[in-house]
Amino acid sequence: MSSSTITTKSLITEAVTQSATMTRLLKSYVCGDWYEGTGRRNQLFNPTTEEVIGEATTGGLDYAAALDYARNVGGAALRKMTFAQRGEMLAAMASAIHEHRDELLDLATESCGNTRGDAKFDVDGATGTLAAYAKMAKGLGDAKFLLDGENIRISRSPRYVGRHVMLPRKGVAIHINAFNFPAWGFAEKAAVALLAGMPVITKPATATAVLAERIVEILVNSDVMPAGAFSFVAGSAGDMLDHVTGQDVIAFTGSAATGAIIRGGAAVIKNSVRVNVEADSLNAAVLGPDVKVESPTWDLFMRDVHTDMTQKVGQKCTAIRRVFVPADKIDAVREELSQTLQSTRVGNPAIRLVRVGPLASKAQLDDVQAGIQKLAEVAEIVSGEVGPGELYDLPSGKGYFQQPVLLQANEPEKAGVVHEHEVFGPVATLMPYNGEASEAARLVCLGGGGLVASVYTDNRDFASDCMVEMAPAHGRLTFGSKKVAEHAYGPGMVLPQLVHGGPGRAGAGEELGGIRGMSLYMQRTAIQGDEPMLAKLFEDGTTAG
Ligand code: NAP
């Protein structure tokens, strides 16, 4: 376990309060009803003002019963529905959330410290992902399961054939999410599992669960999901994972340390439970040697690095952390980026002019500041410093603020910690390379496996070499060039159509990716038999795509 994780956990523990105060207690939604936990509570804070805005506890929650209810009631109901009907449900969920958009954006600002733009990224990302899967469901029509490939002749008789089918697993999909995306994080997992036909129990990170709880309340009140299809946990996972069975699926997003604990759970190991982990990632951006200062591709590169350092205060698993630049351009990049960062407003996230709000919690602030100091042992801080800096429209001196910090490590090879330690905040490190694709790829791969890497070039040979060398270590590669300079999404944007996940340090998970994401929640089974019988068995199936 990393020292930063220990810091996080101990700070959360310190925040525990014994007494029932006037503060609102968040509720879980299990077994078709709202549940108020008992016993010790965790406090939740407004990251801008440090005021307590809620409390959470799952004390007394009967996880065994909650999981059984989801499996037996929700699973049975979902499996009876066609893909089209499940898609209609997802569309209704998206509409219900969208109807409360303004309220949710305000709540994201209050409970997560999001600027308006950051709040939209999370909340609209949730509705967008649900809507995208609703649309994909239409293409699957009235089928209830997937057929994988065509009939395969497996003997001398043409009548004896085999084919693969994918049916929803008969357990519950347990979704454990990180603090940074309480809206999108729930939706990107739930959309896929529900479309596949599995009931969901979702557990947001406690620190930002206020927004997730309100979304669940909206969904429950809108009555768009069958009973048992959706459950929600506000607070600690308690002994939930002691009750998992071989038909359940755990999809986890968070730190590598927690991912390892979850993977190592006794019931998880005993029952060979399928676990998907989305963890840390030291995402890299590479500027190609062909890119000239102030060209469209240069501008795109500068924009993407700046966006990733500042959007959501750098609290994005996909944010660029390492920036590799040909040695002869590093001064120009540093100067332009530093100027942009220094003119970026940090402060009250409720004010439209502000681009960078507070980090989500005191624990995150402490982790990020300790992380900058760790990086500074091997790299020089070239813009910003540890501390909030001048805050816009915030005279109180309160809040979990950290200004953007750019570092530079002139010998990337010797900057071990830069490639190993993810500082989950508005922080990136600039490093030179010799302009060759193989060298850029070698340095990028020191990150040990990542969610995404981005390459900015108009030279297709350079791009091709980067792809071959870098793709095996990444879940996604994004190429920025002048042809898409005006349209390209930055690497930080996760899209429902493309896979999200990465090997090694990133957890070796894979989510989304359109219809292929459903395979996490379905069992692929080979079926052998006579052709007319198989034709009958496959009547309720369809081939994906
Ligand atoms: P975290 O401390 O690992 O917590 C993640 C989730 O796990 C929370 O819901 C947490 O609940 C829960 N949890 C903690 N201990 C658990 C246990 N023993 N059993 C079951 N659940 C447990 O991570 P975080 O601080 O929220 O998120 C930051 C990290 O997430 C960063 O390292 C970042 O890279 C990573 N991340 C990755 C992705 C991705 O897609 N790859 C996306 C976002 C973030 P409590 O809050 O109740 O403790």
Side-chain angles (χ1 to χ4, degrees), residues 389-420:
E390 199 178 321
L391 295 179
Y392 190 78
D393 192 46
L394 270 179
S396 66
K398 295 256 184 196
Y400 312 135
F401 290 92
Q402 170 56 53
Q403 64 183 290
V405 168
L406 182 68
L407 298 101
Q408 182 169 330
N410 288 327
E411 293 184 88
E413 204 74 58
K414 295 185 185 161
V417 70
V418 173
H419 309 290
E420 288 155 14

Side-chain angles (χ1 to χ4, degrees), residues 29-208:
Y29 185 74
V30 291
C31 301
D33 213 347
W34 291 101
Y35 174 80
E36 258 187 30
T38 55
R40 294 167 68 88
R41 301 173 173 193
N42 282 312
Q43 292 185 321
L44 281 58
F45 299 89
N46 176 328
T48 309
T49 62
E50 302 184 27
E51 283 161 350
V52 177
I53 53 171
E55 291 182 331
T57 173
T58 53
L61 199 160
D62 183 346
Y63 276 113
L67 297 184
D68 267 344
Y69 182 81
R71 287 180 197 117
N72 298 332
V73 179
L78 286 165
R79 288 195 298 275
K80 278 192 198 133
M81 293 163 71
T82 65
F83 284 118
Q85 288 168 333
R86 293 175 206 158
E88 283 164 21
M89 172 183 69
L90 297 181
M93 289 167 73
S95 302
I97 295 172
H98 191 67
E99 273 172 32
H100 294 79
R101 181 172 185 262
D102 284 336
E103 174 203 340
L104 293 172
L105 295 180
D106 288 345
L107 195 54
T109 299
E110 184 195 351
S111 62
C112 310
N114 288 179
T115 63
R116 188 84 176 169
D118 290 347
K120 287 182 195 166
F121 196 62
D122 190 19
V123 174
D124 292 345
T127 45
T129 304
L130 288 164
Y133 272 91
K135 202 169 162 195
M136 290 176 219
K138 276 192 191 159
L140 299 173
D142 291 333
K144 292 180 179 162
F145 59 85
L146 295 177
L147 299 170
D148 175 1
E150 299 299 325
N151 280 351
I152 305 161
R153 187 170 149 181
I154 51 176
S155 81
R156 273 196 283 177
S157 163
R159 294 179 72 82
Y160 186 49
V161 296
R163 194 170 182 182
H164 295 93
V165 297
M166 290 171 69
L167 283 127
R169 291 179 145 235
K170 295 174 99 171
V172 55
I174 298 171
H175 291 165
I176 300 177
N177 282 313
F179 70 87
N180 53 343
F181 284 105
W184 176 82
F186 122 77
E188 61 102 14
K189 285 182 169 61
V192 189
L194 292 171
L195 180 56
M198 269 193 98
V200 166
I201 183 160
T202 191
K203 190 207 117 38
T206 302
T208 53

Side-chain angles (χ1 to χ4, degrees), residues 319-403:
I320 296 167
R321 309 285 179 202
R322 299 176 299 147
V323 187
F324 295 99
V325 175
D328 61 347
K329 305 233 173 65
I330 200 159
D331 291 347
V333 169
R334 184 186 59 248
E335 274 157 36
E336 186 173 329
L337 193 53
S338 300
Q339 254 181 29
T340 320
L341 289 171
Q342 280 156 23
S343 61
T344 303
R345 274 210 181 95
V346 182
N348 184 351
I351 303 290
R352 301 279 162 119
L353 289 171
V354 167
R355 180 84 181 252
V356 178
L359 291 154
S361 65
K362 173 78 167 73
Q364 285 307 311
L365 177 66
D366 291 345
D367 268 4
V368 166
Q369 296 191 333
I372 297 170
Q373 269 147 358
K374 210 166 170 179
L375 297 184
E377 289 169 15
V378 296
E380 186 192 347
I381 295 180
V382 293
S383 177
E385 60 185 16
V386 175
E390 199 178 321
L391 295 179
Y392 190 78
D393 192 46
L394 270 179
S396 66
K398 295 256 184 196
Y400 312 135
F401 290 92
Q402 170 56 53
Q403 64 183 290

